[in-house]
Amino acid sequence: MQALIIDDSRAMRSILRRIVTGLGWTTAEAGDGQEALDLLEGGLVPDLCLIDWNMPVMDGYTFVQRVRAEQRWRDVTLMMVTTESEHGQIVRALAAGAHEYVIKPFTAEAIVEKLGLLGLLDQEVPA
């Protein structure tokens, strides 16, 4: 499995990378939505995108809209991981095509639980 971690915070990308690599996944990273879109245009097809909302250049919400507008990326699972906690924002992201929504700060267990709910944990998690 491969995750694309999209966040303008290097520290947040590192935290998320540790969580998913601990599950045996490989990762790619982008500092904003446009950089992530460029990776997809370049042929990267991740199983999961972990997406911050507030980023320079292209925000996470726009990234979700752009990915969902392309049939070729319909199988990519999209999970917002963001400080945006208002109900309206959550509904807006899910309506745009995000599969799940995690509010920062979060625990590793919360991310793993969401991945399980999405059916992305088909193997035993290493201790």
Side-chain angles (χ1 to χ4, degrees):
M1 300 286 261
Q2 183 176 46
L4 173 57
I5 302 167
I6 310 163
D7 198 304
D8 59 330
S9 165
R10 184 176 296 158
M12 187 54 62
R13 291 195 309 265
S14 176
I15 290 167
L16 289 168
R17 182 178 56 251
R18 280 194 301 262
I19 293 170
V20 293
T21 58
L23 299 171
W25 293 38
T26 61
T27 61
E29 298 180 21
D32 62 68
Q34 184 59 57
E35 186 180 341
L37 208 54
D38 291 344
L39 289 172
L40 296 180
E41 291 283 357
L44 180 71
V45 183
D47 300 289
L48 168 71
C49 292
L50 298 167
I51 312 155
D52 186 22
W53 190 299
N54 298 304
M55 296 179 286
V57 185
M58 179 189 291
D59 64 38
Y61 176 72
T62 302
F63 173 79
V64 169
Q65 290 179 307
R66 297 280 301 270
V67 168
R68 284 298 168 243
E70 295 283 338
Q71 184 65 32
R72 59 188 160 154
W73 299 323
R74 296 304 266 176
D75 293 335
V76 177
T77 300
L78 305 176
M79 182 189 301
M80 299 298 293
V81 182
T82 179
T83 57
E84 294 293 335
S85 60
E86 292 184 22
H87 180 72
Q89 297 288 73
I90 296 169
V91 169
R92 195 169 151 217
L94 295 175
H99 294 89
E100 267 297 347
Y101 201 100
V102 176
I103 299 171
K104 297 175 185 174
F106 56 83
T107 63
E109 291 77 18
I111 297 291
V112 172
E113 180 183 337
K114 295 286 188 179
L115 294 177
L117 291 172
L118 291 167
L120 295 173
L121 297 179
D122 57 357
Q123 56 190 2
E124 188 172 318
V125 177

